[in-house]
Amino acid sequence: MSKIRIGIAGYGNLGRGVESAISQNEDMELVGVFTRRSPENVQLLSNNVLVHKMDAITDFADKIDVLILCGGSKNDLPEQGPALAAHFNTVDSFDTHAKIPGYFETVDAAAKPNGKTAIISVGWDPGLFSINRLFGEAVLAEGATYTFWGKGLSQGHSDAVRRIEGVKGAVQYTIPAPDAVGRVRSGEVPELSTREKHTRECYVVLEDGADAKEVEQAIVTMPDYFSEYDTAVHFITEAELKQNHAAMPHGGFVIRSGKTGEGNAQVMEYSLNLGSNPEFTSSVLVAYARAAYRLNKDGQTGAKTVFDIAPGLLSPKSAAQLRKELL
Amino acid sequence: MSKIRIGIAGYGNLGRGVESAISQNEDMELVGVFTRRSPENVQLLSNNVLVHKMDAITDFADKIDVLILCGGSKNDLPEQGPALAAHFNTVDSFDTHAKIPGYFETVDAAAKPNGKTAIISVGWDPGLFSINRLFGEAVLAEGATYTFWGKGLSQGHSDAVRRIEGVKGAVQYTIPAPDAVGRVRSGEVPELSTREKHTRECYVVLEDGADAKEVEQAIVTMPDYFSEYDTAVHFITEAELKQNHAAMPHGGFVIRSGKTGEGNAQVMEYSLNLGSNPEFTSSVLVAYARAAYRLNKDGQTGAKTVFDIAPGLLSPKSAAQLRKELL
């Protein structure tokens, strides 16, 4: 059987995770990595794959079945998503929730007339968590859905702390409040404020001579990022930051709490406990690349989301094998 | 908007649950219940719906968009599934795992030539648990999947205890072993024996003069049902049985524990905590009835399983609304 030929556009944490995930899937092969950096400065995990300049990517249109877009949602994907979906079947992890409807339209307009299939906003949130929010309300029509994130390192919040004057280095963890999670799991349907759902914890290395009190105050009062939360700030050394806070764990829960019949409580819960957030997202992208390939073969073109993908399309197993082994 | 017209074939716990679930979904209406009993002896929850004899069901072929089959997997569905899929779009909860491939073929052979869509083996296991087993291995290609059931009342095991001489009444609960669940959740990938994964607990009412020791021995040594498990037997009064063991709770977990990259542990977990097992299964059936209706409108006929159904088809919301609200 010929393998599904995958290309990677953008080689950061996510691109490296995709390369690693492809090596775990025998029905796929990585045929090229594309970067805006100088290719000679990009070191892949494998020695058998070439790195090319992003400018040359359309030369590879016939050599790649699915291109996995590993750029960021803020600056890369709004431009690359539509541009590349005109030439390739694509999968991306566009995760700016509020902008998804607009992004879907621009990618669809590029992919459809060119006979390409583009699955957008793949990963765990948006992605697997979204699917579970949908299942929750479709199955338990009367109820409430709760999403909790963490314990996990938030890149955006860490960056926000690092931008404060006097901060040399920092990481921020989002932590679901155990009490809130417990109430939801018990079948209660509480109304929870932002402050009640999550707490935030920052580990900060100060610049020489910086005032710890001032930095702490700047963090906990920062609008949008911290002011609505209870935030704990811990000051640590640079050595501690490197040694204890280099991993990128994350995870969380989607819980649907509903009632059926004469008031029977029913609770559905989906949870992830991830040792590496980017590697997990990459693994999801690779599974959806398989679906993009199959959908395109089947003539189903244009932009799609995880809501449009039948689960069976994600597995290397045949439909008959899935019915026999997993149903 | 015209509503999706639903029929119910078979009115036990599951049929009653379907009737109740339909009342929670505004885009559906129940148009008839079909029974092999005398219709006048069947009391529905609603007074606005008629009960008909099962024999007359094909007279209603034009009045029902989707027929939900609420019979049992042992005796009813093997015959009713194919017979009714020749005349109706159907959804059923056929749950004899080993016989699913054969059942799929017979239902497909009946539905396809008649232009009908039949979604088989819908519920939570098979059903939502199956989907999560599939997602687990598709996303984390290197890892192991664990399914735990309970704490929950097992109908089959309760029946087996009731058949023992000297037993007047009984219920059996399946309980996942906390130690095993904890090891799997921690990211360990243990090999677990049947005995290590679950324990069983029986609450038994004795007939007058029956020997408790003999009954207990007959239970714990029963092959297939109990001999491979650690089983606790509690003797209770008939009043206690009625008061404390009339509910039908169930649930369980599907856990995928895998590794990515250089060995980062990743754990995906799906869990259900159900106050009423039949009502939850019914709620799943009703969501899939919506999908069956849409697939048939779209010309996608024949037998399907949950693996073939895109999540978006389950929701009353439009694709654009789902992207905006849930992705």
Side-chain angles (χ1 to χ4, degrees):
Chain A
M1 198 184 76
S2 69
K3 298 191 176 195
I4 303 173
R5 299 168 304 168
I6 306 287
I8 294 174
Y11 196 77
N13 285 330
L14 208 54
R16 202 155 38 241
V18 168
E19 182 186 8
S20 177
I22 291 169
S23 71
Q24 294 189 338
N25 286 277
E26 290 185 1
D27 61 336
M28 301 188 175
E29 60 179 330
L30 178 61
V31 297
V33 171
F34 300 86
T35 178
R36 284 176 306 192
R37 291 180 273 166
S38 298
E40 59 275 18
N41 293 338
V42 175
Q43 179 60 53
L44 306 188
L45 302 170
S46 155
N47 294 317
N48 308 323
V49 177
L50 291 178
V51 182
H52 309 279
K53 284 195 76 69
M54 190 77 85
D55 296 343
I57 196 165
T58 53
D59 299 346
F60 292 80
D62 293 340
K63 298 186 181 69
I64 290 172
D65 294 314
V66 183
L67 186 65
I68 301 182
L69 312 188
C70 298
S73 295
K74 198 165 176 195
N75 299 315
D76 303 325
L77 293 175
E79 187 200 310
Q80 289 179 356
L84 294 171
H87 300 279
F88 296 92
N89 300 314
T90 62
V91 177
D92 72 49
S93 62
F94 184 80
D95 67 359
T96 313
H97 290 262
K99 295 187 175 168
I100 286 173
Y103 183 69
F104 179 90
E105 297 301 335
T106 62
V107 172
D108 191 56
K112 205 171 254 169
N114 291 294
K116 299 299 177 191
T117 305
I119 311 180
I120 70 159
S121 300
V122 170
W124 59 276
D125 197 353
L128 303 181
F129 271 22
S130 319
I131 290 173
N132 280 280
R133 286 189 285 263
L134 188 159
F135 268 102
E137 65 174 51
V139 170
L140 295 173
E142 292 180 8
T145 305
Y146 300 83
T147 302
F148 293 94
W149 295 274
K151 180 183 175 177
L153 189 141
S154 161
Q155 209 56 61
H157 284 75
S158 299
D159 288 344
V161 176
R162 287 185 204 115
R163 283 192 296 263
I164 293 172
E165 211 186 307
V167 171
K168 190 170 184 187
V171 293
Q172 192 267 184
Y173 298 99
T174 305
I175 301 165
D179 181 55
V181 176
R183 287 174 66 194
V184 171
R185 272 193 191 139
S186 75
E188 215 187 301
V189 187
E191 289 225 18
L192 296 168
S193 68
T194 300
R195 193 178 293 277
E196 286 172 308
K197 284 182 73 184
H198 297 91
T199 58
R200 298 192 178 279
E201 201 156 353
C202 303
Y203 291 84
V204 178
V205 181
L206 291 174
E207 298 275 12
D208 284 350
D211 183 312
K213 275 234 142 26
E214 274 178 27
V215 167
E216 178 170 355
Q217 198 56 22
I219 293 172
V220 302
T221 59
M222 195 189 294
D224 297 335
Y225 286 86
F226 293 100
S227 64
E228 287 183 87
Y229 297 87
D230 289 335
T231 302
V233 180
H234 309 282
F235 294 99
I236 58 175
T237 66
E238 197 159 13
E240 286 172 318
L241 183 72
K242 274 194 186 139
Q243 197 183 325
N244 302 331
H245 302 282
M248 284 178 278
H250 219 310
F253 319 85
V254 175
I255 305 178
R256 178 70 173 182
S257 177
K259 299 251 189 248
T260 60
E262 300 294 296
N264 284 304
Q266 314 271 19
V267 180
M268 305 164 76
E269 174 171 340
Y270 186 72
S271 75
L272 296 173
N273 186 354
L274 308 175
S276 163
N277 180 4
E279 284 177 8
F280 186 78
T281 300
S282 300
S283 298
V284 181
L285 287 167
V286 167
Y288 277 89
R290 185 178 287 122
Y293 173 76
R294 291 171 170 175
L295 286 172
N296 191 261
K297 286 262 171 211
D298 191 42
Q300 298 188 51
T301 61
K304 311 277 176 197
T305 75
V306 295
F307 297 150
D308 304 312
I309 311 299
L313 293 171
L314 304 173
S315 170
K317 296 179 176 173
S318 72
Q321 200 179 357
L322 289 174
R323 287 192 292 271
K324 186 161 186 276
E325 295 177 11
L326 292 184
L327 201 61
Chain B
M1 196 184 77
S2 69
K3 298 192 177 196
I4 304 173
R5 301 167 303 168
I6 306 285
I8 293 174
Y11 196 76
N13 285 329
L14 209 55
R16 201 155 38 241
V18 168
E19 181 185 8
S20 177
I22 289 169
S23 71
Q24 294 188 339
N25 286 276
E26 290 187 359
D27 61 336
M28 301 189 176
E29 61 178 329
L30 178 60
V31 296
V33 170
F34 299 86
T35 179
R36 284 176 305 191
R37 292 180 273 166
S38 297
E40 59 274 19
N41 293 338
V42 175
Q43 179 58 53
L44 305 188
L45 302 169
S46 155
N47 294 319
N48 308 324
V49 178
L50 292 178
V51 182
H52 308 278
K53 286 196 75 68
M54 190 75 85
D55 296 342
I57 196 166
T58 53
D59 299 347
F60 293 79
D62 294 339
K63 300 187 180 68
I64 290 172
D65 294 314
V66 183
L67 185 66
I68 300 181
L69 312 189
C70 298
S73 296
K74 198 166 175 195
N75 299 315
D76 302 326
L77 294 176
E79 187 202 311
Q80 289 178 356
L84 294 170
H87 301 278
F88 297 91
N89 300 315
T90 62
V91 176
D92 72 50
S93 62
F94 185 80
D95 66 358
T96 313
H97 291 262
K99 294 187 175 167
I100 286 173
Y103 182 70
F104 179 89
E105 297 302 333
T106 61
V107 172
D108 191 56
K112 204 171 254 170
N114 291 295
K116 299 300 178 190
T117 305
I119 311 180
I120 69 158
S121 301
V122 171
W124 58 276
D125 197 353
L128 302 181
F129 271 22
S130 319
I131 290 173
N132 281 279
R133 286 189 285 262
L134 189 158
F135 268 103
E137 64 173 50
V139 170
L140 296 173
E142 292 180 8
T145 305
Y146 301 83
T147 303
F148 293 94
W149 294 274
K151 180 184 176 175
L153 189 142
S154 161
Q155 211 56 63
H157 284 76
S158 299
D159 288 343
V161 175
R162 286 183 205 118
R163 283 191 297 264
I164 292 171
E165 212 185 307
V167 171
K168 190 171 184 185
V171 291
Q172 192 269 185
Y173 298 99
T174 304
I175 301 165
D179 181 55
V181 176
R183 288 174 65 192
V184 171
R185 271 193 191 140
S186 75
E188 215 187 303
V189 187
E191 288 225 18
L192 297 168
S193 67
T194 300
R195 191 178 296 275
E196 285 172 310
K197 284 183 71 184
H198 298 91
T199 57
R200 298 192 178 280
E201 202 156 350
C202 303
Y203 292 84
V204 177
V205 181
L206 291 173
E207 298 275 12
D208 283 349
D211 182 312
K213 274 234 145 26
E214 274 179 27
V215 167
E216 178 169 356
Q217 197 57 22
I219 293 171
V220 302
T221 59
M222 195 188 297
D224 299 334
Y225 286 85
F226 292 99
S227 64
E228 286 182 85
Y229 297 86
D230 290 335
T231 302
V233 180
H234 309 281
F235 294 100
I236 58 175
T237 66
E238 195 158 14
E240 287 171 317
L241 183 73
K242 273 194 187 139
Q243 196 183 324
N244 302 330
H245 302 281
M248 284 178 279
H250 219 310
F253 319 85
V254 174
I255 305 178
R256 177 70 173 183
S257 176
K259 299 253 190 248
T260 60
E262 300 293 297
N264 283 304
Q266 314 272 21
V267 180
M268 307 164 74
E269 174 170 341
Y270 186 73
S271 74
L272 296 172
N273 186 353
L274 308 175
S276 163
N277 180 4
E279 283 177 10
F280 185 79
T281 300
S282 300
S283 298
V284 181
L285 286 167
V286 167
Y288 277 89
R290 185 179 287 120
Y293 173 75
R294 291 169 169 178
L295 286 172
N296 192 260
K297 285 261 171 213
D298 191 42
Q300 296 187 51
T301 61
K304 311 278 176 198
T305 74
V306 294
F307 296 149
D308 305 311
I309 311 300
L313 293 171
L314 303 173
S315 171
K317 295 180 176 173
S318 72
Q321 200 179 357
L322 289 174
R323 287 192 292 272
K324 185 160 187 276
E325 296 177 11
L326 293 184
L327 199 62

